[in-house]
Amino acid sequence: MQQWLSDHHAVSYLLILGFTIYIFNKVFRANNQKLPILKEVLVYILMAIGSFVLMVLQVDKLPIIQCMGIAVLMMLMLRGRQLYDKWKNNRADSGAVKEADSGK
């Protein structure tokens, strides 16, 4: 897989850019606040330049895409766990409310 990604530069670049944008939006953006449009454009331009640098490292046989993929997978697992805990707490809270209502 590493060799295939090294041979296909466009695919590598798009994967790295997609992972970078996802990680930035989920980790570094505070409460989904949007920046002013010029700052937003500047941030994405800098991410595109940084992704090119990471793509060069990927072509030089460093596992950049694999590492970013694991980071995104761990972020998705955390989000799934948070949703599960929220669902479980809502279910427990609704059960406590029903018991309180039936005890009156």
Side-chain angles (χ1 to χ4, degrees):
M1 182 166 145
Q2 180 70 23
Q3 183 62 40
W4 188 87
L5 289 170
S6 294
D7 293 339
H8 296 85
H9 302 295
V11 174
S12 296
Y13 179 75
L14 291 175
L15 282 172
I16 290 171
L17 183 62
F19 284 152
T20 304
I21 290 171
Y22 179 80
I23 290 169
F24 171 76
N25 285 329
K26 294 297 178 185
V27 175
F28 298 105
R29 188 177 295 273
N31 298 326
N32 289 332
Q33 290 180 329
K34 296 290 182 185
L35 295 171
I37 190 72
L38 290 176
K39 288 182 181 178
E40 191 85 22
V41 169
L42 180 64
V43 165
Y44 283 103
I45 289 172
L46 290 174
M47 276 194 277
I49 293 168
S51 294
F52 178 76
V53 173
L54 290 174
M55 192 263 310
V56 169
L57 295 174
Q58 173 71 33
V59 170
D60 281 342
K61 307 291 189 242
L62 289 175
I64 304 296
I65 293 175
Q66 291 88 338
C67 293
M68 292 179 87
I70 290 172
V72 169
L73 180 66
M74 291 176 68
M75 291 168 62
L76 291 172
M77 289 171 50
L78 173 66
R79 181 65 181 146
R81 178 61 191 220
Q82 289 172 340
L83 289 173
Y84 173 75
D85 288 343
K86 184 178 178 183
W87 173 75
K88 192 173 181 180
N89 286 338
N90 286 342
R91 201 169 121 193
D93 290 342
S94 66
V97 169
K98 287 180 183 178
E99 288 178 14
D101 288 342
S102 64
K104 287 184 178 179

